[in-house]
Amino acid sequence: MFKILLPAVVLIASCLGSPVSNNRRFPNDFLWGVGSSSYQIEGGWNADDKGESIWDFLTHTHPEKIVDGSNADITADSYHQWRRDVQMAKELHVGTYRFSLSWPRIMPGGYMNHVSTAGIKYYSNLIDELLRYNITPMVTIYHWELPQRLQELGGWTNPEIIPLFKDYARLVMEMYGDRVKMWTTINEPWHVCEHGYGADYMAPSFNYPGIPAYLCGHNLLKAHAEVVHMYRDLFQQRQKGRIGITLDTSWPEPKNADSAEDREASERAMQFYVGWFGHPIFSKHGNYPKVMIERIRNLSKEQGFGVRSRLPEFTQEEIRRIRGTSDFFGINSYTSNLVTSNGHNNTGKFPVPSFNHDMGVVESQEGVDWPGSGSVWLKAYPKGMYNLLKWIHREYNAPEIIVTENGVSDRGGLDDYARVDYYNSYLDAILNAIEDGVNISGYIAWSLMDSYEWKAGFTEKFGLYHVDFTSPKRTRTPKISARVFAQICKTNEIDWSFRPTLDDQQLVALAQLPAEEIDPRSSGASNIVGWSLLSIVLLTFLR
């Protein structure tokens, strides 16, 4: 039934044409890219003399914390398959490949006293191969791969991390800066700090709410600023590159648009999620957002912490040093949540103290009819992306924005029309924001290929390319979405009517997929019908 129904729905969508995007194009110089991260794709966890990362330690010591008990010891094996990775980026017609460096692959113990020749060479080869095909490397210096030895010192909660991160950044800028013209210091600091230290979620999985996450954020912001100043002082003029940071959030949609309290909760959520790291760097006056300073100080006092706030204070010199330390605003976003105020009775039942209790916002996706995905937290609401981009534009005086991650998960397969519709609708929302005056210069699709999805293991797939994790060769096969995204990058526009069918290569690969990636009940394919029907509505009614 499913195999008969899907092509019929797709055909109807195709026949309607594409009134949504007729004559609507992205700017000629728009940056198109695709992304990945080192721990998620490289494997080779102890190849050559690579050191242990906090993720190696977590997955090996506590496999029960991973949904499928897996680890990324091999994952997509990009440590050996990097040439194929570059070919895939070339096939997508992207101008940029965003990838991250593994700190313990380059400095096994986190210190300058031991630098890995093999690690340095690996990334040098990858960069050279990208440049061979005129693909610009966009390098993330830190995407959650802290050397385990540094975590044993306290990781990001210890101020000693600041000079150590600066040493590491200086080395990679010296090694690669002649060829790398786009840097980001740190990926998603909110996740690094709150999900790493405040909750039992991301490595190092501290589960210590309300205190260490703020210490982490304080040190991280200072470390970021020191690296940017170093780059500007020592490298930027000579190497002609740019440097920034990537923040992340889900858009907090007021649960009731007519409720002033819900609108206030939405604004507060943005100040806590984005403002925590965005305000010190991008705002006119710097420092943490006023609402964050006041709420955490007052709650700390109520909770018996004395006169000192759990949120550390910057000196005036530190505020000046951090402000302005980014050449662009990198933002990652995938979904939206409905938000309302937590209230004095703690209806959200948050730990006291904790980040969520400090923020005072209850988030949910209950009762929404937004299309789902392969991840319980990810439902598609393209207007949320538009709202987020407009908020950044207003709040931070029209900075240049690069969407450094956006994409959707499923549970496997190659005929991922749900992903096609997600990309089309989110890119349409981004184009709406551009046409409404928001300065968006680029878009990085997440992700190049299926990979290790952190605590979800291999159960959730975000890739434009399918990876056969059962094959020793980790064979990569383009999905339908890869062909569609390649067309977008090539033509600079969205074509809603372009819905290719599986070609011979894909059909051969499809026949070899495990049963769970073909069965629509487990692959998330049932969402595809919903998405295709949604695209019909969009084609008919939007604009």
Side-chain angles (χ1 to χ4, degrees):
M1 174 64 183
F2 175 76
K3 289 181 179 290
I4 296 169
L5 176 62
L6 178 59
V9 175
V10 172
L11 181 62
I12 294 168
S14 297
C15 292
L16 284 171
S18 54
V20 176
S21 53
N22 269 357
N23 302 318
R24 297 180 72 225
R25 292 173 54 84
F26 285 86
N28 290 335
D29 58 352
F30 196 75
L31 178 157
W32 292 105
V34 68
S36 68
S37 88
S38 52
Y39 183 73
Q40 292 182 271
I41 68 167
E42 284 179 8
W45 84 273
N46 61 352
D48 299 312
D49 55 351
K50 178 184 170 292
E52 185 180 37
S53 76
I54 54 175
W55 277 95
D56 295 325
F57 181 82
L58 177 69
T59 56
H60 294 162
T61 310
H62 293 288
E64 75 281 359
K65 292 189 175 187
I66 311 302
V67 168
D68 56 5
S70 64
N71 57 54
D73 288 3
I74 303 173
T75 184
D77 196 30
S78 287
Y79 189 63
H80 299 104
Q81 304 281 351
W82 53 273
R83 285 188 180 85
R84 174 62 181 135
D85 294 354
V86 175
Q87 284 299 315
M88 286 149 54
K90 178 175 175 283
E91 290 164 12
L92 290 171
H93 298 293
V94 296
T96 300
Y97 178 42
R98 177 178 181 246
F99 65 94
S100 69
L101 308 175
S102 166
W103 190 341
R105 192 177 298 286
I106 290 171
M107 292 179 173
Y111 287 91
M112 284 291 296
N113 68 324
H114 183 190
V115 174
S116 169
T117 303
I120 293 289
K121 185 178 178 184
Y122 169 67
Y123 295 111
S124 188
N125 288 337
L126 175 60
I127 290 165
D128 286 344
E129 187 77 354
L130 288 165
L131 293 174
R132 235 183 102 201
Y133 295 102
N134 296 317
I135 299 169
T136 299
M138 184 177 189
V139 176
T140 303
I141 298 172
Y142 185 81
H143 195 133
W144 309 356
E145 263 205 279
L146 189 69
Q148 175 61 21
R149 292 298 283 169
L150 298 188
Q151 184 54 50
E152 290 162 13
L153 288 177
W156 288 97
T157 66
N158 185 342
E160 178 64 12
I161 198 75
I162 299 167
L164 294 178
F165 184 63
K166 188 176 176 183
D167 285 346
Y168 162 50
R170 180 172 185 153
L171 175 69
V172 300
M173 288 167 175
E174 287 173 345
M175 292 292 105
Y176 310 130
D178 59 325
R179 292 160 289 163
V180 172
K181 306 306 175 188
M182 289 278 283
W183 296 95
T184 50
T185 54
I186 294 160
N187 181 76
E188 298 185 356
W190 182 88
H191 273 82
V192 173
C193 295
E194 174 57 18
H195 270 177
Y197 295 91
D200 183 6
Y201 197 69
M202 298 293 189
S205 206
F206 253 41
N207 199 23
Y208 188 156
I211 297 174
Y214 298 133
L215 299 176
C216 166
H218 210 64
N219 292 327
L220 186 149
L221 279 162
K222 289 194 274 190
H224 156 81
E226 288 308 308
V227 166
V228 172
H229 282 291
M230 175 185 65
Y231 182 70
R232 288 174 175 172
D233 292 344
L234 302 181
F235 299 104
Q236 194 164 38
Q237 187 175 358
R238 172 164 44 95
Q239 296 180 349
K240 310 297 184 191
R242 308 176 73 210
I243 191 164
I245 192 168
T246 282
L247 310 184
D248 75 288
T249 192
S250 300
W251 170 253
E253 182 76 8
K255 192 170 185 178
N256 179 354
D258 296 327
S259 163
E261 188 179 27
D262 286 1
R263 292 196 303 271
E264 186 183 330
S266 172
E267 176 62 21
R268 198 161 65 246
M270 285 300 293
Q271 294 294 343
F272 267 73
Y273 279 122
V274 176
W276 182 2
F277 298 97
H279 207 273
I281 296 170
F282 296 99
S283 72
K284 183 178 180 181
H285 299 293
N287 206 355
Y288 296 120
K290 185 179 178 183
V291 66
M292 199 171 176
I293 293 170
E294 291 179 352
R295 283 183 67 91
I296 299 172
R297 182 182 62 217
N298 293 339
L299 284 168
S300 297
K301 191 174 181 181
E302 285 177 25
Q303 292 155 0
F305 285 91
V307 294
R308 259 182 62 192
S309 174
R310 289 177 284 106
L311 181 68
E313 291 184 17
F314 288 120
T315 65
Q316 285 303 310
E317 174 55 32
E318 287 168 343
I319 289 170
R320 283 193 295 271
R321 191 146 177 87
I322 294 168
R323 190 163 51 85
T325 54
S326 194
D327 296 333
F328 53 86
F329 196 118
I331 187 70
N332 297 350
S333 192
Y334 293 82
T335 190
S336 297
N337 294 305
L338 299 181
V339 299
T340 189
S341 185
N342 186 38
H344 294 294
N345 57 352
N346 193 14
T347 53
K349 296 182 172 59
F350 300 127
V352 179
S354 66
F355 171 86
N356 283 318
H357 185 261
D358 291 338
M359 181 169 63
V361 174
V362 179
E363 304 166 275
S364 76
Q365 294 177 333
E366 289 179 16
V368 300
D369 57 358
W370 307 337
S373 69
S375 308
V376 68
W377 56 271
L378 203 173
K379 296 184 190 300
Y381 180 62
K383 185 69 187 303
M385 176 63 88
Y386 174 89
N387 293 341
L388 169 62
L389 295 168
K390 288 283 285 184
W391 187 92
I392 294 169
H393 178 78
R394 287 192 309 269
E395 184 74 8
Y396 298 122
N397 193 28
E400 176 190 347
I401 300 170
I402 301 175
V403 177
T404 38
E405 281 184 31
N406 176 243
V408 70
S409 64
D410 57 25
R411 293 294 173 129
L414 297 174
D415 49 350
D416 58 341
Y417 294 98
R419 184 168 286 109
V420 170
D421 291 326
Y422 179 96
Y423 277 126
N424 283 345
S425 60
Y426 269 72
L427 284 168
D428 195 67
I430 289 167
L431 197 47
N432 290 343
I434 291 172
E435 291 180 352
D436 288 344
V438 182
N439 180 15
I440 306 160
S441 64
Y443 177 90
I444 312 289
W446 188 269
S447 62
L448 175 59
M449 70 192 108
D450 293 339
S451 58
Y452 188 78
E453 192 49 39
W454 310 110
K455 292 291 280 285
F458 294 106
T459 64
E460 300 173 8
K461 321 283 188 180
F462 278 84
L464 290 161
Y465 280 74
H466 175 274
V467 177
D468 183 353
F469 294 107
T470 66
S471 164
K473 295 181 179 179
R474 297 302 195 267
T475 307
R476 289 101 149 94
T477 306
K479 302 178 187 180
I480 292 291
S481 60
R483 292 163 62 189
V484 173
F485 188 65
Q487 178 84 350
I488 291 169
C489 296
K490 189 176 181 181
T491 63
N492 228 23
E493 63 182 23
I494 309 159
D495 181 356
W496 286 79
S497 67
F498 182 57
R499 304 184 74 83
T501 54
L502 295 172
D503 62 21
D504 291 345
Q505 177 201 359
Q506 291 168 318
L507 288 169
V508 169
L510 185 67
Q512 299 169 353
L513 293 187
E516 64 266 20
E517 290 201 43
I518 298 175
D519 182 353
R521 291 167 299 180
S522 62
S523 68
S526 58
N527 287 320
I528 294 171
V529 177
W531 262 109
S532 296
L533 290 171
L534 174 67
S535 67
I536 292 171
V537 175
L538 287 167
L539 287 168
T540 308
F541 296 111
L542 283 185
R543 289 199 171 256

